[in-house]
Amino acid sequence: MSKLHARKAPAMLKSLIEWFDRQLLARGAAATVRSIFAVLGFSVAVAAVPGVPTVKLAGLLLMILLALTFALVLLHDRAQLKQQADEDRFLLARYCRFLGERHGYVARVLSWRQTAVIDTEGGSKEVIRIHAVSMRRQLYFLPLKFGARWDQPKAVQKQVRVKVRSLLLEDRRGTSWRATINWLPDGRFELICHLRAPVKIGADIKLEIEWYWPGKCAPLVKRREPEEFIFKFNKLMPVEYAEYKITLPVGQEAFCEPIGFAEPSDSFEILCRDNPNESKTYTFMGIGLTPGRELGMRLEVKPRGSARMSKDD
């Protein structure tokens, strides 16, 4: 008898899982979960019957089976929801890209001020403040792209959290905007900043973008490899002034060289500043940045010995 039950068990399990799958498709996850709880409650009652070991064992096994099935149902539903959300983000980004390229200039950027504070693990906390003017009759969104300069694991992408908000008079922080993030195959992400209402041509747009990106600069601070900090702006958003400030962890200094221009230059400049907490900030500044041209700086953290020698000198 026990051998017969053993042979039937896999078929019964398969039938049960197929039934749950049909329930998911027909009734959705919420109704299916309620059904599972009802059967689970019945199994608990059966297992509590005194003096019937076989029934109690069967009830216990059924409880375990249902608990496992319940977990599978939730995982199945979560995976489907995530896949659908990823597809929706991809399609939204594609349509926004199409609209952005179809109707000419998007906005003229009067100033782009980006700061990055790097921690000892290579994580980068960045703030970007943008002041732009609409160049369309009605502007609904701003399309932007960002990325690390090395091939990061996809697991890191899930930890990147981006916040977008408005800036008011005197750069006071306003309320949050809706934003859509779509990761690209090359490791960059598209950020679509949705304006609350269409902005007319000539109107000011001021916003702040903020994120913490784990390990974004890990090759620079942990492996001491040269890393590039550059701008490459789209032709649809001409930029009049841009600056990029990089603050290294306390006690670290860097070799620095320009990218995309030669010093001295009337349009571009790189500065180094000592901070009160003994960290150093390297700043690239430029005016009239040419669309499609890579401009910025390359940093390489100095060995600790050479950093101390430079202080002594």
Side-chain angles (χ1 to χ4, degrees), residues 79-103:
Q80 281 192 328
L81 289 174
K82 184 181 182 303
Q83 182 180 3
Q84 185 62 51
D86 290 342
E87 290 178 359
D88 291 344
R89 280 194 295 269
F90 169 77
L91 291 173
L92 177 61
R94 186 175 71 175
Y95 296 143
C96 287
R97 197 182 312 126
F98 170 77
L99 292 173
E101 296 171 355
R102 182 179 176 85
H103 298 289

Short mmCIF file of all heavy atoms in Angstrom, two decimals, residues 79-103:
data_model
loop_
_atom_site.label_atom_id
_atom_site.label_comp_id
_atom_site.label_asym_id
_atom_site.label_seq_id
_atom_site.Cartn_x
_atom_site.Cartn_y
_atom_site.Cartn_z
N ALA A 79 7.49 37.44 -9.98
CA ALA A 79 8.31 37.40 -11.19
C ALA A 79 7.54 37.94 -12.39
O ALA A 79 8.08 38.69 -13.21
CB ALA A 79 8.78 35.97 -11.46
N GLN A 80 6.24 37.60 -12.48
CA GLN A 80 5.43 38.10 -13.58
C GLN A 80 5.27 39.62 -13.50
O GLN A 80 5.36 40.32 -14.51
CB GLN A 80 4.06 37.42 -13.57
CG GLN A 80 4.06 36.02 -14.16
CD GLN A 80 2.65 35.52 -14.40
OE1 GLN A 80 1.72 35.88 -13.67
NE2 GLN A 80 2.48 34.70 -15.42
N LEU A 81 5.02 40.12 -12.30
CA LEU A 81 4.86 41.57 -12.13
C LEU A 81 6.14 42.32 -12.48
O LEU A 81 6.11 43.36 -13.13
CB LEU A 81 4.45 41.88 -10.69
CG LEU A 81 3.03 41.48 -10.30
CD1 LEU A 81 2.82 41.71 -8.81
CD2 LEU A 81 2.00 42.26 -11.11
N LYS A 82 7.29 41.78 -12.05
CA LYS A 82 8.57 42.42 -12.35
C LYS A 82 8.84 42.42 -13.85
O LYS A 82 9.30 43.42 -14.42
CB LYS A 82 9.71 41.71 -11.62
CG LYS A 82 11.07 42.38 -11.81
CD LYS A 82 12.15 41.63 -11.09
CE LYS A 82 13.50 42.35 -11.25
NZ LYS A 82 13.87 42.52 -12.68
N GLN A 83 8.55 41.30 -14.51
CA GLN A 83 8.77 41.22 -15.95
C GLN A 83 7.88 42.22 -16.68
O GLN A 83 8.34 42.91 -17.61
CB GLN A 83 8.48 39.81 -16.45
CG GLN A 83 8.71 39.63 -17.95
CD GLN A 83 8.41 38.22 -18.41
OE1 GLN A 83 7.96 37.39 -17.64
NE2 GLN A 83 8.63 37.96 -19.69
N GLN A 84 6.63 42.34 -16.27
CA GLN A 84 5.72 43.29 -16.89
C GLN A 84 6.18 44.73 -16.66
O GLN A 84 6.13 45.56 -17.57
CB GLN A 84 4.32 43.11 -16.34
CG GLN A 84 3.26 43.98 -17.02
CD GLN A 84 3.12 43.68 -18.49
OE1 GLN A 84 2.97 42.53 -18.87
NE2 GLN A 84 3.18 44.70 -19.33
N ALA A 85 6.66 45.04 -15.44
CA ALA A 85 7.15 46.39 -15.14
C ALA A 85 8.38 46.72 -15.97
O ALA A 85 8.52 47.84 -16.48
CB ALA A 85 7.47 46.51 -13.65
N ASP A 86 9.29 45.76 -16.14
CA ASP A 86 10.49 45.98 -16.95
C ASP A 86 10.10 46.26 -18.41
O ASP A 86 10.68 47.14 -19.06
CB ASP A 86 11.42 44.78 -16.88
CG ASP A 86 12.08 44.64 -15.51
OD1 ASP A 86 12.08 45.63 -14.77
OD2 ASP A 86 12.57 43.54 -15.20
N GLU A 87 9.13 45.50 -18.92
CA GLU A 87 8.69 45.71 -20.30
C GLU A 87 8.04 47.08 -20.47
O GLU A 87 8.27 47.78 -21.47
CB GLU A 87 7.70 44.61 -20.70
CG GLU A 87 8.35 43.24 -20.86
CD GLU A 87 7.34 42.17 -21.20
OE1 GLU A 87 6.13 42.50 -21.29
OE2 GLU A 87 7.75 41.00 -21.38
N ASP A 88 7.24 47.48 -19.47
CA ASP A 88 6.59 48.80 -19.54
C ASP A 88 7.62 49.92 -19.53
O ASP A 88 7.50 50.91 -20.28
CB ASP A 88 5.62 48.97 -18.37
CG ASP A 88 4.41 48.05 -18.49
OD1 ASP A 88 4.18 47.53 -19.60
OD2 ASP A 88 3.72 47.85 -17.48
N ARG A 89 8.65 49.80 -18.67
CA ARG A 89 9.70 50.82 -18.63
C ARG A 89 10.45 50.90 -19.95
O ARG A 89 10.77 51.98 -20.45
CB ARG A 89 10.67 50.54 -17.48
CG ARG A 89 10.17 50.99 -16.12
CD ARG A 89 11.30 50.99 -15.10
NE ARG A 89 11.79 49.64 -14.87
CZ ARG A 89 11.33 48.84 -13.93
NH1 ARG A 89 10.34 49.25 -13.14
NH2 ARG A 89 11.83 47.63 -13.75
N PHE A 90 10.75 49.73 -20.52
CA PHE A 90 11.45 49.70 -21.80
C PHE A 90 10.64 50.38 -22.90
O PHE A 90 11.18 51.19 -23.67
CB PHE A 90 11.76 48.24 -22.19
CG PHE A 90 12.25 48.08 -23.60
CD1 PHE A 90 13.56 48.40 -23.93
CD2 PHE A 90 11.39 47.62 -24.59
CE1 PHE A 90 14.01 48.26 -25.23
CE2 PHE A 90 11.84 47.48 -25.90
CZ PHE A 90 13.15 47.79 -26.22
N LEU A 91 9.34 50.07 -22.98
CA LEU A 91 8.51 50.66 -24.02
C LEU A 91 8.34 52.16 -23.82
O LEU A 91 8.41 52.93 -24.78
CB LEU A 91 7.14 49.98 -24.02
CG LEU A 91 7.13 48.51 -24.49
CD1 LEU A 91 5.74 47.91 -24.28
CD2 LEU A 91 7.56 48.40 -25.94
N LEU A 92 8.15 52.59 -22.57
CA LEU A 92 8.01 54.02 -22.29
C LEU A 92 9.28 54.77 -22.69
O LEU A 92 9.21 55.83 -23.33
CB LEU A 92 7.71 54.24 -20.81
CG LEU A 92 7.60 55.70 -20.36
CD1 LEU A 92 6.48 56.40 -21.10
CD2 LEU A 92 7.39 55.78 -18.86
N ALA A 93 10.44 54.22 -22.34
CA ALA A 93 11.70 54.87 -22.70
C ALA A 93 11.87 54.93 -24.21
O ALA A 93 12.34 55.94 -24.76
CB ALA A 93 12.87 54.11 -22.06
N ARG A 94 11.47 53.86 -24.91
CA ARG A 94 11.61 53.86 -26.38
C ARG A 94 10.72 54.91 -27.02
O ARG A 94 11.15 55.64 -27.92
CB ARG A 94 11.26 52.47 -26.92
CG ARG A 94 11.51 52.34 -28.42
CD ARG A 94 11.28 50.93 -28.91
NE ARG A 94 9.86 50.58 -28.91
CZ ARG A 94 9.39 49.44 -29.40
NH1 ARG A 94 10.22 48.52 -29.86
NH2 ARG A 94 8.09 49.19 -29.39
N TYR A 95 9.47 55.03 -26.55
CA TYR A 95 8.56 56.02 -27.13
C TYR A 95 9.01 57.44 -26.80
O TYR A 95 8.92 58.35 -27.65
CB TYR A 95 7.14 55.78 -26.63
CG TYR A 95 6.56 54.45 -27.07
CD1 TYR A 95 5.73 53.71 -26.24
CD2 TYR A 95 6.88 53.91 -28.31
CE1 TYR A 95 5.22 52.48 -26.64
CE2 TYR A 95 6.38 52.69 -28.72
CZ TYR A 95 5.56 51.97 -27.87
OH TYR A 95 5.06 50.75 -28.26
N CYS A 96 9.51 57.64 -25.59
CA CYS A 96 10.03 58.97 -25.23
C CYS A 96 11.25 59.33 -26.06
O CYS A 96 11.43 60.48 -26.47
CB CYS A 96 10.36 59.01 -23.74
SG CYS A 96 8.92 59.04 -22.65
N ARG A 97 12.09 58.33 -26.32
CA ARG A 97 13.26 58.56 -27.17
C ARG A 97 12.84 58.96 -28.58
O ARG A 97 13.41 59.87 -29.19
CB ARG A 97 14.12 57.30 -27.20
CG ARG A 97 15.54 57.51 -27.68
CD ARG A 97 16.30 56.18 -27.73
NE ARG A 97 16.14 55.42 -26.52
CZ ARG A 97 15.71 54.17 -26.48
NH1 ARG A 97 15.38 53.54 -27.60
NH2 ARG A 97 15.60 53.53 -25.33
N PHE A 98 11.82 58.28 -29.09
CA PHE A 98 11.30 58.58 -30.42
C PHE A 98 10.75 60.00 -30.47
O PHE A 98 11.04 60.78 -31.40
CB PHE A 98 10.22 57.57 -30.79
CG PHE A 98 9.45 57.92 -32.03
CD1 PHE A 98 10.01 57.73 -33.29
CD2 PHE A 98 8.17 58.46 -31.94
CE1 PHE A 98 9.30 58.06 -34.44
CE2 PHE A 98 7.46 58.78 -33.08
CZ PHE A 98 8.03 58.59 -34.33
N LEU A 99 9.94 60.38 -29.48
CA LEU A 99 9.36 61.71 -29.45
C LEU A 99 10.44 62.78 -29.29
O LEU A 99 10.36 63.86 -29.88
CB LEU A 99 8.34 61.81 -28.32
CG LEU A 99 7.06 60.99 -28.50
CD1 LEU A 99 6.22 61.05 -27.24
CD2 LEU A 99 6.26 61.48 -29.69
N GLY A 100 11.45 62.46 -28.45
CA GLY A 100 12.51 63.43 -28.23
C GLY A 100 13.30 63.73 -29.48
O GLY A 100 13.67 64.88 -29.75
N GLU A 101 13.59 62.70 -30.28
CA GLU A 101 14.39 62.89 -31.49
C GLU A 101 13.57 63.42 -32.66
O GLU A 101 14.13 63.97 -33.60
CB GLU A 101 15.04 61.56 -31.87
CG GLU A 101 16.04 61.06 -30.83
CD GLU A 101 16.52 59.65 -31.11
OE1 GLU A 101 15.97 59.04 -32.08
OE2 GLU A 101 17.41 59.16 -30.40
N ARG A 102 12.26 63.27 -32.61
CA ARG A 102 11.41 63.61 -33.75
C ARG A 102 11.18 65.11 -33.87
O ARG A 102 11.05 65.65 -34.97
CB ARG A 102 10.07 62.89 -33.62
CG ARG A 102 9.11 63.13 -34.76
CD ARG A 102 7.82 62.35 -34.56
NE ARG A 102 6.84 62.63 -35.59
CZ ARG A 102 6.77 62.04 -36.77
NH1 ARG A 102 7.67 61.12 -37.08
NH2 ARG A 102 5.83 62.35 -37.65
N HIS A 103 11.13 65.83 -32.77
CA HIS A 103 10.69 67.22 -32.78
C HIS A 103 11.82 68.22 -32.49
O HIS A 103 11.57 69.32 -32.02
CB HIS A 103 9.56 67.41 -31.77
CG HIS A 103 8.35 66.58 -32.08
ND1 HIS A 103 7.52 66.84 -33.14
CD2 HIS A 103 7.85 65.47 -31.48
CE1 HIS A 103 6.53 65.95 -33.17
NE2 HIS A 103 6.71 65.10 -32.18
#
